[in-house]
Amino acid sequence: NLLPFYLTDNLWEGAEQKVVFITGRIHPGETPSSFVCQGIIDFLISQHPIARALREHLVFKIAPMLNPDGVYLGNYRCSLMGFDLNRHWLDPSPWAHPTLHGVKQLIIQMYNDPKTSLEFYIDIHAHSTMMNGFMYGNIFEDEVRFQRQAVFPKLLCQNAEDFSYSSTSFNRDAVKAGTGRRFLGGLLDHTSYCYTLEVSFYSYIIGGTTAAVPYTEEAYMKLGRNVARTFLDYYRLNPMVEKVTIPMPRLRKERPPYKHPLLRGPASSHPNSKGGKKSSVNHKDPSNSF
């Protein structure tokens, strides 16, 4: 299933569509990715002023579950046919990897459409050993493109207290050549940026502290809302949003963060706690109700 989000004004004839393509749950056992994706979707369909501004200027296309058969069967990483789909983007089979084949064809079609600018591809995953949310990006010979690729995760780090830019890395490991991030990063031009968004299965550490905060379903969805909100900063649409404090929609009541006594350690043990000076700009922002 593909979910498009935009206002009809975006589709007037001759207008260039700026597209953000988001996929999730290609690895069926990585359930947190579904909650992050749910947070993005719930926010984008809301009437929050930021959501409306985003729908007016961007087209979001979201495939929230790329491995539905694997999820149904309770598999951890593979599909019904036993394939790790995130290693088959180079040449997906319409028979063995139908979801990948369909999404890839759609992305190529948009890439070849002169009226469409595919500017972001984000594939949402969950990580079993790392803490916090973080991203993987690509390495480019073009230094300007490489530096511009770092802008979005830096902005997200300011908006989401559980996102770690210092844990974000850019690589082109051979073993990752078949992933969506690597394949599309090589296919699309210099105006497109491709990321893998990872989120911890268990906890995050807020900069300047040593206490691990266990993730909850609401916390994962909050990260998704902050991912969506970051596009407002990236495209400098902030002046279009009324400067009023409007609570973000929540799906359930959030409990106060629980500090696990066994997950304490020196501040230097986590990337975000380096020097205890992680940006706190967002802590004073009225929109921190995300």
Side-chain angles (χ1 to χ4, degrees):
N1 291 331
L2 182 69
L3 310 176
F5 299 94
Y6 49 81
L7 293 182
T8 54
D9 291 346
N10 285 336
L11 303 181
W12 59 271
E13 187 175 356
E16 181 187 50
Q17 297 180 36
K18 293 183 178 181
V19 176
V20 175
F21 207 108
I22 298 173
T23 57
R25 209 67 183 275
I26 195 169
H27 291 146
E30 297 176 7
T31 52
S33 65
S34 283
F35 292 109
V36 175
C37 197
Q38 188 69 51
I40 295 174
I41 293 171
D42 288 345
F43 176 62
L44 288 177
I45 64 175
S46 74
Q47 293 305 309
H48 192 283
I50 293 178
R52 291 189 59 84
L54 292 175
R55 295 197 303 267
E56 288 174 359
H57 288 82
L58 301 168
V59 175
F60 289 85
K61 292 184 179 291
I62 302 177
M65 189 174 290
L66 288 181
N67 198 339
D69 49 332
V71 170
Y72 177 80
L73 292 171
N75 294 346
Y76 178 70
R77 197 171 179 87
C78 65
S79 66
L80 170 66
M81 302 294 293
F83 293 107
D84 181 344
L85 297 182
N86 205 34
R87 296 297 184 271
H88 289 274
W89 279 90
L90 292 173
D91 187 25
S93 161
W95 177 76
H97 328 107
T99 54
L100 246 59
H101 182 268
V103 168
K104 179 180 175 180
Q105 293 303 311
L106 177 60
I107 289 176
I108 292 176
Q109 178 183 345
M110 289 190 296
Y111 175 66
N112 292 328
D113 185 350
K115 297 180 181 179
T116 300
S117 176
L118 181 55
E119 306 209 334
F120 281 90
Y121 171 77
I122 300 177
D123 189 26
I124 307 175
H125 288 251
H127 206 284
S128 60
T129 59
M130 297 281 285
M131 299 181 73
N132 291 61
F134 58 95
M135 279 181 158
Y136 291 125
N138 295 309
I139 292 179
F140 303 106
E141 301 300 330
D142 183 345
E143 184 177 352
V144 174
R145 185 183 185 190
F146 180 74
Q147 292 178 349
R148 282 179 57 85
Q149 183 186 212
V151 172
F152 187 86
K154 285 183 177 179
L155 292 173
L156 179 55
C157 187
Q158 292 183 353
N159 289 332
E161 64 180 7
D162 60 320
F163 183 86
S164 170
Y165 179 75
S166 54
S167 293
T168 293
S169 64
F170 305 93
N171 61 70
R172 50 184 173 192
D173 298 341
V175 295
K176 300 293 183 68
T179 65
R181 167 183 63 89
R182 285 289 314 280
F183 169 74
L184 294 174
L187 171 70
L188 305 177
D189 61 26
H190 68 281
T191 64
S192 305
Y193 299 97
C194 303
Y195 306 92
T196 299
L197 171 62
E198 297 273 2
V199 62
S200 173
F201 267 102
Y202 52 104
S203 298
Y204 62 94
I205 294 181
I206 300 175
T209 71
T210 59
V213 182
Y215 267 112
T216 63
E217 294 178 7
E218 171 59 31
Y220 288 129
M221 289 186 283
K222 182 178 179 180
L223 177 58
R225 296 194 292 269
N226 281 319
V227 169
R229 178 259 182 100
T230 300
F231 287 106
L232 186 86
D233 300 327
Y234 183 86
Y235 287 101
R236 301 179 181 180
L237 302 175
N238 306 71
M240 300 195 57
V241 179
E242 296 179 1
K243 295 185 179 299
V244 295
T245 303
I246 300 178
M248 290 295 297
R250 296 181 182 275
L251 294 185
R252 62 198 73 211
K253 185 180 292 186
E254 183 176 9
R255 297 180 179 179
Y258 169 70
K259 298 180 179 180
H260 198 295
L262 299 179
L263 293 177
R264 296 179 182 271
S268 60
S269 65
H270 187 269
N272 264 0
S273 60
K274 184 178 181 181
K277 294 183 179 180
K278 180 176 180 292
S279 173
S280 59
V281 174
N282 190 50
H283 296 171
K284 298 180 181 179
D285 187 346
S287 63
N288 195 34
S289 53
F290 279 75

